C-alpha cells in the first residue's frame, strides 16, 4: 500500500519512533490518581514489564493497524480485562478514565511522530485526532465523549492536566517501571526515563522525581535533532518493523486471544492500556 493512501492513524501508529514516548504515556496515565490506583492493584511493572508493554502494543497496533475484526477482538479483550479493574474510588470502565487513557495514547503518538518525522499540517492533525477516537471507543468510551476538534482537545487536555496529582502510588509505579527486577533491562528503562523527563511538563517531572537540569535539556534537544535527521531516512520497512512483527504474531499465532485462554500468569493479570 502506498503510504499516501493510508489513514493518518495507520501512518502514525506503525512508526517505531513513537515507541520512544511509551514511558511518557504511562507516566501521564498514572498521574491520574484513579488510574494509578487501578494499575497499582491490578498490574506488576517490576516483575513483568514486558507483559504490560506487550499488552499495550497489541492494543495500540490492533486498533490503529488491524482489520475491523482485529480491532473488535482486541477491544473486546481489553474491555473484558477492565471489567475486573475495580476498587475503592476507581473503575477502569469509567468514561472519564477511558477518555484520559485514550487521550494520552493519541497525544504521545502525535507528539513523538512530529519530533522524529517533522510537523504535520493542520488538516493532517485534525484527521489524526478524529481517527484516534478509536483508542477510546474500542475501550468502551461513547463516541460523543471524544473531542471533535483540535481546539476542543486542547481545552480538554488543559483541564485534565490541571487535575493530575502524582501521589505515592504513582511514584512507586514509576520506580518499578524504570527499575524493574531484571537488571538487564535497566539501560533501556534509563533511556525511557530520560526521554520521559524531557517530554513531561516541569511540575510532573519534579513530582515523579526525575532529575533535570539545563545540561539534561541540551542532551535531550541534541538527541531529537539527531533522531529527526536520521530516522526519516531509514527505509519504511525498518521504521515499521515492530508493528509488522506484532501484527504477524496476532495473525499467525493467535496473539493475545490465544494467551488469554491459557491459565498462565499473563492471563490472570489485568492491565490498563
Amino acid at each position: 500500500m502506498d503510504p499516501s493512501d493510508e489513514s493518518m492513524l495507520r501512518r502514525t501508529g506503525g512508526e517505531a519512533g513513537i515507541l520512544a514516548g511509551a514511558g511518557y504515556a504511562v507516566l501521564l496515565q498514572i498521574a491520574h490518581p484513579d488510574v494509578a490506583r487501578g494499575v497499582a492493584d491490578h498490574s506488576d511493572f517490576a516483575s513483568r514489564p514486558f507483559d504490560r508493554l506487550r499488552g499495550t502494543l497489541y492494543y495500540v497496533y490492533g486498533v490503529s493497524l488491524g482489520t475491523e475484526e482485529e480491532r473488535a477482538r482486541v477491544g473486546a479483550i481489553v474491555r473484558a480485562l477492565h471489567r475486573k479493574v475495580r476498587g475503592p474510588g476507581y473503575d477502569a470502565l469509567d468514561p472519564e478514565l477511558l477518555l484520559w487513557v485514550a487521550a494520552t495514547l493519541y497525544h504521545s503518538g502525535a507528539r513523538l511522530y512530529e519530533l522524529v518525522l517533522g510537523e504535520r499540517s493542520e488538516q493532517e492533525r485534525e484527521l489524526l485526532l478524529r481517527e484516534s477516537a478509536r483508542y477510546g471507543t474500542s475501550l468502551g468510551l461513547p463516541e460523543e465523549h471524544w473531542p471533535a476538534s483540535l481546539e476542543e482537545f486542547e481545552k480538554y487536555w488543559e483541564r485534565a492536566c490541571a487535575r493530575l496529582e502524582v501521589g505515592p502510588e504513582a511514584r512507586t509505579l514509576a520506580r518499578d517501571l524504570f527499575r524493574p527486577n531484571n537488571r538487564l533491562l535497566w539501560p533501556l528503562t534509563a533511556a525511557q526515563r530520560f526521554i520521559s523527563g524531557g517530554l513531561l511538563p516541569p511540575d510532573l517531572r519534579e513530582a515523579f522525581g526525575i532529575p533535570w537540569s539545563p545540561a539534561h535539556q541540551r542532551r535531550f534537544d541534541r538527541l531529537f535533532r539527531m533522531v529527526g535527521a536520521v530516522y526519516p531516512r531509514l527505509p519504511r520497512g525498518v521504521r515499521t518493523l515492530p508493528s509488522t512483527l506484532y501484527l504477524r504474531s496476532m495473525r499467525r499465532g493467535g496473539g493475545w486471544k490465544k494467551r488469554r485462554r491459557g491459565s498462565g500468569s499473563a492471563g490472570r493479570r489485568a492491565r490498563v492500556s
Side-chain angles (χ1 to χ4, degrees):
M1 177 184 291
D2 186 330
S4 63
D5 294 333
E6 293 180 333
S7 73
M8 293 306 301
L9 183 58
R10 178 175 291 272
R11 286 164 59 184
T12 301
E15 292 287 347
I18 70 172
L19 296 178
Y24 171 58
V26 171
L27 293 185
L28 287 172
Q29 290 173 20
I30 64 176
H32 191 301
D34 292 346
V35 175
R37 281 192 288 271
V39 175
D41 290 347
H42 297 274
S43 190
D44 188 348
F45 283 167
S47 64
R48 287 189 293 271
F50 278 119
D51 279 353
R52 190 181 193 283
L53 176 62
R54 181 170 57 240
T56 299
L57 290 181
Y58 270 127
Y59 178 75
V60 170
Y61 290 145
V63 168
S64 61
L65 306 176
T67 64
E68 289 187 15
E69 188 276 333
E70 288 164 344
R71 290 199 299 270
R73 177 158 60 89
V74 297
I77 290 168
V78 173
R79 289 194 300 274
L81 289 170
H82 281 183
R83 291 189 191 101
K84 306 171 187 177
V85 184
R86 294 181 178 180
Y90 68 88
D91 181 343
L93 295 180
D94 181 342
E96 178 190 340
L97 302 189
L98 295 178
L99 176 56
W100 176 243
V101 170
T104 64
L105 295 176
Y106 156 74
H107 167 84
S108 61
R111 186 172 180 189
L112 266 295
Y113 183 98
E114 295 205 356
L115 277 174
V116 301
L117 281 165
E119 293 187 2
R120 286 172 157 160
S121 68
E122 196 77 0
Q123 181 182 17
E124 289 174 323
R125 291 172 177 170
E126 290 279 4
L127 285 171
L128 177 61
L129 175 68
R130 287 200 293 271
E131 292 171 3
S132 295
R134 292 180 195 168
Y135 288 138
T137 56
S138 294
L139 293 171
L141 179 75
E143 189 168 0
E144 62 271 17
H145 287 221
W146 186 252
S149 67
L150 288 173
E151 181 181 5
E152 188 176 326
F153 181 85
E154 289 304 321
K155 290 179 180 178
Y156 160 74
W157 188 260
E158 184 176 351
R159 292 194 306 270
C161 287
R163 296 194 297 267
L164 298 180
E165 183 179 348
V166 179
E169 289 167 324
R171 285 191 288 271
T172 298
L173 290 168
R175 181 199 65 205
D176 291 344
L177 176 66
F178 296 126
R179 279 292 184 268
N181 294 342
N182 186 346
R183 289 174 175 260
L184 294 176
L185 300 176
W186 284 16
L188 177 61
T189 57
Q192 274 289 322
R193 186 171 186 251
F194 172 72
I195 293 172
S196 299
L199 295 169
L200 284 170
D203 58 333
L204 290 183
R205 184 170 60 217
E206 181 178 359
F208 277 114
I210 299 176
W212 206 254
S213 67
H216 285 92
Q217 188 65 49
R218 288 192 295 271
R219 289 198 293 271
F220 179 85
D221 293 340
R222 282 198 301 268
L223 171 64
F224 276 96
R225 281 198 299 270
M226 180 182 69
V227 172
V230 174
Y231 182 82
R233 292 175 169 79
L234 295 176
R236 194 163 186 267
V238 173
R239 301 196 328 247
T240 59
L241 183 60
S243 60
T244 299
L245 293 177
Y246 267 85
L247 286 176
R248 185 177 300 166
S249 171
M250 289 174 62
R251 290 165 178 167
R252 292 186 178 179
W256 239 10
K257 185 175 182 180
K258 185 175 182 179
R259 281 196 301 278
R260 293 295 178 246
R261 287 177 175 174
S263 58
S265 61
R268 292 195 298 267
R269 300 291 295 187
R271 296 173 185 83
V272 179
S273 296

